Amino acid sequence: MIGYPNVRLRRLRSTENMRRLVRETIVFPSDFIYPIFVIEGKNIKQEVPSMPGIHRFSPDCLPAELDEIASLGIPAVLLFGIPDQKDELASQAYHPDGIIQQAIRFIKINYPQLLIVTDVCLCEYTNHGHCGVVKDDYVDNDLTLPLLVKTAVSHAEAGADMVAPSDMMDGRVKAIRKGLDENGFCTVPILAYSAKYASGFYGPFREAAESTPQFGDRRAYQMDPPNLREAMREIEMDIQEGADMIMVKPALPYLDVIRCARDSFKLPLAAYNVSGEYAMVKAAAMKGWLDEKHVTMEVLTSIKRAGADIIITYHAREAARWLNDDKRMP
Ligand code: PBG
């Protein structure tokens, strides 16, 4: 007879070892990419007010953080630069001695065991805070592409192992692939922020990266949150243009998009558990309203269960520590 009382699903939940045997989704430190903010100057380690535990570092202060990341078994970092000078054409984004290029060289020399992924976007480097060249109050797609190419090539020249364009211009993956190949970087892969939504969850990041648009918003280039089929078109186009990995961002409010992308495409799939998702958990945990470890592991597991292979998360350091500690438990 099928069904209760012959079948009792609770039998397989009786002990921790039983649950471990039948567990379908397991998160590992090797799934994580840890985002890092690098700021110009010396001896700077500033906590981001809306992101407790996350700091902006000058390059000389990176070692403490990177030593820990590497020792925890986290394979990769995602770098964001905050320059001293911003201008119309984001010139510090592709300056050979820009803050991000300095940071890449420093990490490449001192931490060869870490994979360096760089965010390719102009918003931290433009004086208006938009992700491209502004003409008549409109972010001009085709004027922006050459600057993104220059930025990606300069990252590769400095030693980046993978570039991740996050601007949402049309045709950027094709342009960047061509630019990398022409400059001798045919081995450098592209992780495309393919389905990146115009989300309210980027608020804390913009405080950290000083990249809030000075007028308007990003809805004319980032995706409209209600759209799923369009996300599949974005991903499909990026794959045709040469993306090596694809991304859905944010993660938690878009788990359905992650699942659909996983079922539709074969490429490695990353999900970005963004700043606002981190801030929500931190704030509630600091008030004693949620158990941070319990909730964080549940969040990360849900993202992996939805189909992500790679999770970009500000919780990577803490989560890796919890995972490593639990492994040692008797
Ligand atoms: C740059 C960029 C943003 C994020 C990653 N790359 C901000 C934005 O698009 O406004 C957000 C990451 C986060 O919130 O953690 N364009």
Side-chain angles (χ1 to χ4, degrees):
M1 232 230 301
I2 304 215
Y4 175 86
N6 292 333
V7 178
R8 289 178 183 267
L9 293 178
R10 286 185 55 189
R11 285 182 197 125
L12 301 186
R13 297 177 204 147
S14 57
T15 63
E16 178 57 14
N17 272 338
M18 185 68 83
R19 291 189 291 271
R20 283 173 67 206
L21 279 181
V22 299
R23 193 156 287 154
E24 299 176 33
T25 305
I26 300 174
V27 173
F28 301 106
S30 57
D31 299 330
F32 299 147
I33 298 180
Y34 186 61
I36 294 188
F37 299 103
V38 193
I39 187 163
E40 246 162 300
K42 272 205 164 29
N43 204 20
I44 301 173
K45 180 184 176 185
Q46 286 168 345
E47 190 165 58
V48 180
S50 51
M51 301 176 76
I54 298 295
H55 299 81
R56 312 198 304 181
F57 296 97
S58 53
D60 59 309
C61 287
L62 283 170
E65 185 93 331
L66 294 174
D67 284 344
E68 195 184 356
I69 292 300
S71 75
L72 286 166
I74 295 168
V77 291
L78 174 61
L79 299 183
F80 295 94
I82 303 138
D84 270 349
Q85 292 163 26
K86 300 175 187 248
D87 57 35
E88 288 278 309
L89 295 178
S91 49
Q92 285 300 311
Y94 39 86
H95 193 287
D97 289 317
I99 178 61
I100 205 76
Q101 290 77 4
Q102 291 174 40
I104 297 166
R105 284 193 291 266
F106 178 84
I107 300 172
K108 192 78 187 167
I109 293 170
N110 295 291
Y111 296 87
Q113 71 274 45
L114 285 175
L115 197 77
I116 304 173
V117 188
T118 57
D119 185 87
V120 174
C121 194
L122 306 182
C123 62
E124 298 111 273
Y125 304 89
T126 51
N127 48 13
H128 45 67
H130 276 290
C131 302
V133 176
V134 171
K135 210 176 150 196
D136 303 327
D137 280 357
Y138 186 73
V139 176
D140 189 293
N141 196 90
D142 297 4
L143 289 178
T144 302
L145 295 182
L147 303 188
L148 293 170
V149 172
K150 280 212 272 192
T151 303
V153 170
S154 82
H155 291 180
E157 277 167 351
D161 298 303
M162 178 154 71
V163 293
S166 70
D167 52 282
M168 290 304 278
M169 298 301 122
D170 286 319
R172 78 269 170 81
V173 173
K174 183 177 184 177
I176 290 171
R177 185 68 272 156
K178 184 162 173 277
L180 288 172
D181 290 358
E182 285 172 0
N183 285 278
F185 298 110
C186 68
T187 56
V188 173
I190 298 174
L191 163 56
Y193 284 72
S194 302
K196 175 174 175 180
Y197 288 88
S199 170
F201 286 91
Y202 306 151
F205 172 95
R206 293 182 189 167
E207 181 180 36
E210 297 171 8
S211 66
T212 307
Q214 298 303 302
F215 65 90
D217 53 44
R218 303 206 202 290
R219 284 184 288 184
Y221 41 104
Q222 297 180 347
M223 279 190 58
D224 200 21
N227 294 0
L228 170 66
R229 291 191 304 269
E230 188 188 347
M232 298 307 113
R233 292 188 73 196
E234 280 284 1
I235 295 173
E236 203 173 327
M237 265 180 81
D238 281 355
I239 295 173
Q240 279 167 3
E241 290 181 21
D244 299 277
M245 300 186 190
I246 50 178
M247 192 198 300
V248 172
K249 175 186 172 188
L252 271 191
Y254 300 89
L255 292 177
D256 56 324
V257 182
I258 297 173
R259 169 47 55 197
C260 191
R262 174 70 294 148
D263 291 343
S264 309
F265 303 102
K266 296 196 185 74
L267 276 70
L269 172 62
Y272 201 142
N273 178 222
V274 301
S275 57
E277 299 173 56
Y278 175 84
M280 285 194 303
V281 172
K282 278 283 170 193
M286 284 167 74
K287 279 191 169 274
W289 291 352
L290 289 174
D291 177 312
E292 185 173 11
K293 177 179 171 184
H294 191 157
V295 167
T296 302
M297 292 317 299
E298 191 173 335
V299 165
L300 298 173
T301 304
S302 78
I303 296 169
K304 193 157 179 192
R305 192 189 60 232
D309 305 295
I310 299 161
I311 306 172
I312 304 170
T313 178
Y314 302 95
H315 263 121
R317 197 163 35 97
E318 285 159 308
R321 208 181 305 127
W322 292 325
L323 288 166
N324 291 337
D325 287 351
D326 286 353
K327 221 168 44 196
R328 277 190 291 274
M329 253 165 45

